[in-house]
Each structure stands twice: as C-alpha cells, then as structure tokens.
Amino acid sequence: MASQWWRSAVFYQIYPRSFADSNGDGIGDLDGITEHLDYLNDGTDRSLGIDAIWLSPINPSPLNDWGYDVSDYCDVHPDLGGLPAFDRLIREARRRGIRVILDLVPNHTSDRHRWFQQSQSSRSNPRRDWYIWKAGAPDNPPNNWVSIFGGPAWKWHEATGEWYLHLFLEQQPDLNYRNPEVIAAMHDVIRFWLDRGAAGYRVDVIHGMIKDAQFRDNPPLVKVEWGSQTDVALKQRHLYDFDQPEVHEIIRGFRRVIDEYGDRMMVGEVWPHSNESLALYLRPDELQQAFNFRFLFCPWKAERFRAQVAEIERILPTGSWPTWTLSNHDFPRHITRYQSGPATEARARLAAVMLLGLRGTPFLYYGEEIGMPDVEISRERWRDPVGRDGCRTPMQWSNEPGGGFTSSRSPWLPLGNCAAVNVARQSDDPYSMLSFYRRAIRARRASPALTAGTIRVVDDAPADCFVFAREAAGSHAMVALNFADEPRGIELPSGKILLSSDFGREPGRIASGKMRLAPNEALVLDSG
Ligand code: NOJ
Ligand code: CA
C-alpha cells in the first residue's frame, strides 16, 4: 500500500502573496517561500518542524477572488515567479523532506479562462457546454439560487442571450461536470502538477462540482446547522447546488488519477448537508481527507470542542483519519476570535496543543505560530470582494520597515503590528509563541500515541476542562485542557510531563494523581 504520510504530517497553509516577497514588488512569491523553508523545517529543533505545505492558488488569475478564479490551470502567476520558481520551491522543499500540496479549483474558472472565452463566444461553440448555460428571459433567472458572495447565482449574458451559473462571483463561472470533456480536462490538470512534483491537492468547493440535474429551487433555510454560515446570511439552504449524490463519481475519477502516482493525496474543502454526507466523501475510493470547519465556529468552551471532536470521531468511516483546523484564509484568525485581554496568548497556546494533540492531521495557518492576529482593514482598503483581508496580511518576520516581508514601501496588504509580533523577536525567546509551537510539534512527533494513536475522550473531566487519552502500541499520552480563566483541580494518571503551556511547569518531571491546572493551561503527559 502507498504510504499514508498525510496521517502523521503537520500541514502549514501558506497564502503565497503574503508570506515573503523576494523581489521587492510588495507581493509575496514562491522564491520568498523557498528562502524561508529552513524556518519551516531545517531538520533541527530551531525550525518549526512542519512536514507539508498547502499553497493557496498559485495559477495565473485576474485576481477577482485572489487566485480562486483561475485563468490558466497549467502555469504559475507571474507575480509569484512563474513555473521556474515553482520548480525551485519543489526541489528545495524536497531536500528538506517537506511536501507541497496545491489548491485545485475545479468547480469554476475565471471568466478570463480561454475555456470560458470560447464558451461565451457563441451558442454553437464546441466549448459552450463546458459551462452551465440556461435559456430564459433576461428578467427571469432560471431558478432562485444565490451566490455565496451575495446576489443571484445567475448572470445574463447579453451577447448570446442566455444565463450562466456562478456560485461565487460572476467572474467565476461554474464548469459543467456533466460533460465528460470537462472531467478529462481536469484530470489533465491534476496530472500536470503531480508530474511536476506536487504531493497532492487541497480541492476547493469539492461539494459543489455537480448540480441538481433539474435545477430545482433551493428551499428557504429553516434550521441552522453547524457550518452553514453562508446559508444564514443568504437565507437559503443549498440543497440542490451543493453536495449532490453524483459528485462522488467525479471524485472517484479524480482519485483514480491521484492513485496513478502512488503516494499523493487530496484533502477536500467539503461543506456537506449533514454528518452522514460528510462521511461519504471519505469512502476508500474518494478523498483521503476532508476538512471539517467545526472549530472555526466554536465558542471558547471546553464542552463545545469536546462535542465537536466526539461527533467527528463518531461519524467518520472506520479507517479514515480526521483533520483539524483553527484558522484559514476565509475566517478571522483564532487568536483574534478567542482574544480575551491578558488570557489571549494562553488561550492560543491551549488551542495549539488541542490541534496538535487530537487524533488527526493538524492544518496550521501561516502566522499562527507567532500569534499573529487579524489586522483591521477599513472597507475602502479591502482587496477581497467580501473583506476577508484581515486574516491574509503579510507574515511578520521582523520589526524592520516592511516587516521583513518586503523591501517595498507598499506591501499588497497592510502589515500588522510588527513591533509587537514578529519572528525575529520570538525566535530566541524560549517563552515565545514560536518556541512553544516548535516544542509542541516536536512533542507530537516524539510520541507515537499523539501521532498515530486512538483517542478516548474522558467523560468525567472537571467543568471547563477537555481531557482525552491517546494510545498506540506501547505509547500512552493524556492531554488535559483547562478552558477556564481559573485553576482547576484534576485527577490524572501518573506520567512524565511532555509539554505544558504553563511555563512554570517543568517538562520531563513526573506528575501523578491530583494536579492543579493553571488558568487556560494545556498539559500533555506521557503516561507510559
Ligand atoms: C473557498 C475558498 O477557500 C475561498 O477563499 C474562495 O473564495 C471560494 N472557495 C471560491 O473559490
Ligand atoms: Ca514579489
């Protein structure tokens, strides 16, 4: 069987425009990432120690949705350095044992993509049917579907007198996966990057790739389920545009291509209708992994996190492996969501231990390892159509002008407070967030229980505490998380302290029996 490296890997998501600018144009680029690979993993304890990078889209794009509107699937955006920079990145990453997965955006293209240019040129163009066109009158869209970014999901195309579908911006027309030529074209795209050394893909809006054959109206939203935040805003349940049964055949086709290469993987961005339907995407011939976005919506409460973990553990098919994520490029960063005056950093450390301690693959988001918060960006300075810029600002490397991110005086998005939070300052400080992440990632790697073990959630943990045990052959660990701003007494088996977010506690010491967890303390014991 091909190696399942993604199970034990710690992933690190990079938003390429915001990581490091190598040529002073104010825009992060792939050479900038290559220059900082040692920071991510140089094989020593001085680096962060991650195993794999997920790059948000790098393809040429008019940037209406910052790369999620692809105009050429088989090239790299010139701002990011083109294909040669990609090849350099892959080569250098490989030398350090770091794998790189790319963002595949198969649901829609940019309206500037040559496929759409052809498709919209006339009703009889051979590529007409590559997108979703519908006849009708200009004042009467084919159905009631709304775009995730607001407004109707249909755009009237004056020149050819038909509507086309766009579940996102009107500059992002949806491809038609009922057309086998589209499927074949996307298989070629998948092969292109795997041939060039990509380790796999994060697949964008994978649940949306195929729509109801009859294009029925979506029902109004009645019940708010977890993760349905867009529905709440739009007052519509995406019953017929998302998560259709036929999507699984498309995914199986993608998986067959992935499997031609042995050890490559896909992690899907899946927003399912229900728990049961999430599990379907993880059948053995579909995705190796699917994101679950539950932690993005969890208030700072032990029982809420515990409930989400228990539910994911219950619904995932046997043999599949969860993923955990606290932050990404679409939502405010967790250190900002959970900020609480002087407790903010302690909460962020606890969150890191939870992410790295759970059974599953953690996906970190660039900057979280230094506790970089969101940057407030006024509406006039938004570059994103829906204002997600605050969590996408440049990495804060140092307190130099340009934050060590760029030598330009105008970074593409404003820098945050580099004096307060930056890599250089934290790098040699054993009490910094960065040093803590380094230790936490190492503690995880050193413990077979933490990297590969089973999980048992402790039911009778004290109030405000989330406690779980991890177990692998010959290796046991206990993770105890106190979400309260007060200390909590707790009974734990005896064991060696592997890690604590309370700097007063000495790693390596033996702890046993009754313990007092400090406010917001996260403690990991090696219990034999
Ligand atoms: C999900 C991506 O994460 C988001 O950034 C993007 O806007 C939409 N998909 C559309 O591609
Ligand atoms: Ca640049």
Side-chain angles (χ1 to χ4, degrees):
M1 193 163 80
S3 107
Q4 296 190 323
W5 56 268
W6 52 87
R7 287 187 169 234
S8 57
V10 175
F11 276 81
Y12 184 87
Q13 180 190 356
I14 292 182
Y15 201 69
R17 290 187 169 253
S18 291
F19 199 59
D21 170 19
S22 70
N23 63 350
D25 63 0
I27 302 168
D29 45 56
L30 299 188
D31 283 334
I33 299 172
T34 305
E35 286 167 9
H36 287 86
L37 287 173
D38 279 342
Y39 165 79
L40 296 176
N41 195 344
D42 69 358
T44 76
D45 287 3
R46 290 202 36 84
S47 64
L48 186 57
I50 56 93
D51 306 285
I53 296 172
W54 150 30
L55 293 178
S56 281
I58 60 170
N59 305 115
S61 159
L63 308 177
N64 290 292
D65 186 11
W66 295 102
Y68 286 96
D69 49 329
V70 174
S71 56
D72 181 352
Y73 284 102
C74 296
D75 203 350
V76 171
H77 197 291
D79 289 350
L80 304 183
L83 279 168
F86 177 79
D87 293 339
R88 285 191 288 275
L89 172 59
I90 292 290
R91 196 171 54 239
E92 289 301 313
R94 189 172 284 152
R95 279 189 41 213
R96 293 162 177 84
I98 301 174
R99 291 180 159 93
V100 179
I101 70 166
L102 298 180
D103 217 312
L104 179 70
V105 189
N107 177 68
H108 44 266
T109 69
S110 158
D111 62 345
R112 313 306 308 162
H113 195 291
R114 136 182 85 82
W115 299 341
F116 188 73
Q117 292 293 305
Q118 291 163 350
S119 185
Q120 55 119 58
S121 65
S122 79
R123 287 201 208 175
S124 58
N125 185 278
R127 289 233 161 91
R128 183 64 165 184
D129 187 48
W130 280 41
Y131 293 83
I132 299 172
W133 293 94
K134 285 270 172 263
D139 51 355
N140 189 20
N143 65 19
N144 74 347
W145 294 358
V146 286
S147 149
I148 299 300
F149 291 150
W154 295 95
K155 170 79 180 166
W156 177 251
H157 188 250
E158 200 60 60
T160 58
E162 283 189 324
W163 295 91
Y164 70 82
L165 180 71
H166 60 91
L167 294 185
F168 295 86
L169 298 174
E170 66 180 59
Q171 295 91 344
Q172 292 170 296
D174 281 52
L175 283 162
N176 175 17
Y177 279 85
R178 294 190 188 270
N179 182 334
E181 291 172 9
V182 170
I183 297 179
M186 204 48 71
H187 287 184
D188 286 345
V189 170
I190 295 174
R191 289 193 185 94
F192 180 86
W193 296 101
L194 298 182
D195 286 336
R196 264 193 130 87
Y201 295 99
R202 175 264 188 191
V203 190
D204 189 62
V205 199
I206 198 161
H207 54 284
M209 286 195 298
I210 202 155
K211 285 78 180 167
D212 177 45
Q214 298 164 53
F215 290 89
R216 280 169 280 188
D217 277 351
N218 279 330
L221 181 71
V222 274
K223 186 168 150 246
V224 179
E225 289 191 47
W226 70 267
S228 49
Q229 87 293 355
T230 48
D231 296 317
V232 176
L234 303 168
K235 302 197 169 41
Q236 183 172 98
R237 212 179 140 216
H238 291 273
L239 188 61
Y240 293 118
D241 49 347
F242 281 170
D243 203 7
Q244 302 303 295
E246 298 97 314
V247 78
H248 297 288
E249 194 45 44
I250 311 293
I251 296 174
R252 281 192 281 269
F254 282 16
R255 176 62 185 268
R256 284 192 292 272
V257 178
I258 292 282
D259 284 347
E260 289 167 14
Y261 292 79
D263 63 347
R264 318 296 171 95
M265 61 89 74
M266 286 186 290
V267 51
E269 185 204 17
V270 184
W271 294 90
H273 287 144
S274 64
N275 287 337
E276 290 66 33
S277 72
L278 174 64
L280 298 178
Y281 290 81
L282 292 163
R283 287 176 290 192
D285 55 350
E286 298 199 29
L287 299 173
Q288 285 98 339
Q289 301 204 297
F291 281 117
N292 82 71
F293 298 110
R294 290 152 185 261
F295 284 180
L296 297 167
F297 306 102
C298 260
W300 191 253
K301 284 197 165 22
E303 61 272 21
R304 295 293 288 274
F305 285 101
R306 180 169 55 219
Q308 298 299 357
V309 170
E311 194 170 64
I312 283 290
E313 288 291 343
R314 182 174 59 74
I315 63 180
L316 251 48
T318 344
S320 76
W321 190 249
T323 66
W324 300 105
T325 184
L326 281 159
S327 291
N328 65 29
H329 63 293
D330 287 333
F331 298 92
R333 289 170 177 274
H334 65 273
I335 196 162
T336 300
R337 299 201 307 273
Y338 297 133
Q339 65 184 303
S340 172
T344 302
E345 292 236 334
R347 285 184 168 196
R349 286 194 295 269
L350 182 155
V353 174
M354 178 171 65
L355 203 71
L356 291 160
L358 284 168
R359 185 183 91 102
T361 304
F363 282 77
L364 311 180
Y365 184 50
Y366 82 97
E368 77 171 73
E369 75 278 20
I370 54 169
M372 219 174 100
D374 268 38
V375 177
E376 275 220 23
I377 298 179
S378 59
R379 232 199 136 95
E380 315 79 71
R381 296 191 66 188
W382 281 7
R383 308 216 54 183
D384 180 55
V386 289
R388 293 166 292 186
D389 312 77
C391 65
R392 301 177 176 179
T393 58
M395 181 71 176
Q396 298 170 197
W397 294 102
S398 71
N399 193 24
E400 292 157 42
F405 163 74
T406 182
S407 57
S408 158
R409 286 219 283 202
S410 36
W412 82 287
L413 275 179
L415 285 155
N417 183 350
C418 294
V421 176
N422 71 64
V423 172
R425 191 167 106 179
Q426 294 190 16
S427 210
D428 296 320
D429 172 1
Y431 301 112
S432 67
M433 188 68 75
L434 178 56
S435 297
F436 185 72
Y437 264 80
R438 288 173 179 159
R439 287 200 295 278
I441 291 173
R442 274 189 175 87
R444 175 190 159 89
R445 168 146 328 121
S447 160
L450 291 179
T451 29
T454 56
I455 184 168
R456 181 177 54 81
V457 174
V458 173
D459 292 327
D460 55 355
D464 304 315
C465 291
F466 176 23
V467 181
F468 51 91
R470 304 285 316 275
E471 182 179 347
S475 166
H476 294 75
M478 286 297 297
V479 180
L481 311 169
N482 175 17
F483 283 73
D485 287 334
E486 292 137 33
R488 287 280 184 268
I490 185 172
E491 195 88 43
L492 288 171
S494 78
K496 195 170 74 185
I497 297 176
L498 267 185
L499 183 74
S500 166
S501 64
D502 180 11
F503 295 133
R505 222 185 275 283
E506 232 177 280
R509 231 195 54 211
I510 301 295
S512 63
K514 268 210 168 343
M515 295 193 66
R516 227 171 109 85
L517 292 179
N520 288 298
E521 181 179 355
L523 175 71
V524 186
L525 289 185
D526 178 345
S527 44

